[in-house]
Amino acid sequence: MTSPDEILAALAARGYRRTGSRRAIAEAIVAAGSHFTADDLGARLPRVDRSTVYRTLDTLEEAGIVDHVHLGHGRAVYHLAHEDHHHLVCESCETVIELPLEKLRSLAGAVDREYGFELDRRHFALVGRCGSCRVTGGGPRAGRTRTAAPDGGRRGARGRS
């Protein structure tokens, strides 16, 4: 789903009403890009009550339209559910690296085989230190979002995480 109309149609298909607030929230989700918090949406939507934003995000998650993950110790971060990836979070600079699912499939399989435990990818983030902070001993700075390239390099744009 990449448009507000698709988000609203998916809700309607599950029996949820189309409301003006839900349309505004769907538009804010699409405008926010990959990762956003409820507070990010609330800041974009001063006329929508914050509790409506939270309830709508819960509804969207129940409907399988968005997922959330806890990146470190901060608030829940949401993204559209079709954006399947894991997260690497630098505890020094708060950079978030999006890691393709296949990179951790063997780990998930081993955990399942050896412990009978199924990882929930929606709430799964690995915390550590990014390459830059390991080299420079870097400290806190504004968070960025990057996507891990298949060759192990990094690509992507700076973004709010």
Side-chain angles (χ1 to χ4, degrees):
M1 277 169 254
T2 57
S3 77
D5 289 331
E6 290 173 310
I7 293 171
L8 293 171
L11 281 175
R14 291 169 176 84
Y16 294 101
R17 293 181 310 126
R18 294 176 190 238
T19 66
S21 293
R22 286 185 177 153
R23 170 163 286 288
I25 292 168
E27 289 171 354
I29 288 170
V30 171
S34 184
H35 294 95
F36 54 90
T37 67
D39 289 340
D40 293 337
L41 297 183
R44 290 174 178 260
L45 304 167
R47 293 186 175 171
V48 177
D49 190 88
R50 195 64 53 109
S51 65
T52 301
V53 172
Y54 280 98
R55 280 194 314 273
T56 301
L57 286 171
D58 286 344
T59 299
L60 291 169
E61 189 164 20
E62 288 172 18
I65 297 167
V66 299
D67 282 332
H68 84 272
V69 65
H70 295 276
L71 303 177
H73 299 291
R75 293 178 296 263
V77 176
Y78 295 85
H79 59 87
L80 292 170
H82 73 274
E83 298 175 356
D84 281 339
H85 56 268
H86 294 291
H87 300 92
L88 304 176
V89 181
C90 180
E91 60 192 351
S92 295
C93 69
E94 299 179 357
T95 291
V96 177
I97 301 170
E98 295 176 355
L99 188 67
L101 288 179
E102 63 270 7
K103 297 291 186 182
L104 292 180
R105 276 205 180 106
S106 62
L107 171 64
V111 168
D112 188 20
R113 280 188 309 279
E114 294 177 34
Y115 299 95
F117 189 86
E118 182 179 15
L119 295 176
D120 181 353
R121 69 157 182 81
R122 296 170 302 148
H123 300 279
F124 190 55
L126 295 171
V127 179
R129 293 186 64 193
C130 70
S132 295
C133 288
R134 287 176 61 199
V135 169
T136 65
R141 63 179 189 242
R144 299 179 300 179
T145 300
R146 299 186 298 194
T147 302
D151 65 358
R154 308 263 187 306
R155 68 176 191 273
R158 290 177 186 249
R160 194 132 204 272
S161 50

